[in-house]
Structures are given as C-alpha cells and as structure tokens.
Amino acid sequence: CSASTNKPVLTLFTKKPCPLCDDAKEVLEPYKRRFILQEVDITLPENSAWYDKYKYDIPVFHLNGKFLMKHRVDIQKFEDQLMKLELQND
C-alpha cells in the first residue's frame, strides 16, 4: 500500500537516558500508525551539530524535517501538523 511510503516522518532528537523522551513517546503512542518515528541520538559523534543545538532542549521533534516542538509534546500542534501533511498526501 502506497500510504505507508507517504507517512510523515517524526524525528525525535534524544539521548540516553531521557525520561522526558520516554514520556513523549508514550503520549504519541495512539498516533504511531500515522507517522514514522525516527530517533536521533544527539550524543553520537556524527550528530554533534544536533548536540550543540539541542543539548539543553531534548526531547525535540521535527516533522518531515521541520522543527515542530521541544521539551514536551504539544498534542494539538502535533495533530494539526499531522493532519495538514495527511491532507497534502491525499
């Protein structure tokens, strides 16, 4: 089915341990069939640019490569943006 390839990509900038990231993933659980979750560990050497940018802000979320939210999940904002992307793909 082609719908799966058009799913928005939600990128989570995280590191271990990150209790806030775990909370955020729980909040997003009901939506998980509607997006692809991609986790970026900002402590890895290849992600040092993200580390410099977000080390005090994780969790940080990008939706399809664009900054969406940080610190905690704003469900309303997330739903609005997800809906917009889904409508564009129809």
Side-chain angles (χ1 to χ4, degrees):
C1 118
S2 67
S4 65
T5 58
N6 285 338
K7 275 191 203 169
V9 175
L10 185 69
T11 308
L12 165 59
F13 294 90
T14 183
K15 66 181 182 190
K16 297 276 183 252
C18 176
L20 286 175
C21 302
D22 297 337
D23 292 348
K25 283 192 278 192
E26 260 174 57
V27 172
L28 293 168
E29 186 70 21
Y31 300 90
K32 72 172 193 259
R33 285 187 307 282
R34 292 171 59 193
F35 64 87
I36 296 161
L37 181 66
Q38 183 183 42
E39 291 189 41
V40 174
D41 184 339
I42 63 170
T43 62
L44 298 176
E46 65 267 26
N47 296 328
S48 62
W50 293 119
Y51 180 80
D52 293 341
K53 192 168 183 176
Y54 291 145
K55 61 186 166 209
Y56 302 118
D57 288 320
I58 61 168
V60 175
F61 292 93
H62 285 195
L63 189 59
N64 277 4
K66 289 200 202 90
F67 175 82
L68 182 64
M69 54 196 171
K70 65 182 179 183
H71 301 157
R72 59 183 44 87
V73 174
D74 178 339
I75 276 296
Q76 196 56 57
K77 187 176 193 179
F78 175 68
E79 268 190 64
D80 291 348
Q81 295 301 317
L82 195 58
M83 195 79 77
K84 260 186 214 153
L85 290 169
E86 287 169 343
L87 290 171
Q88 284 171 8
N89 287 335
D90 283 350

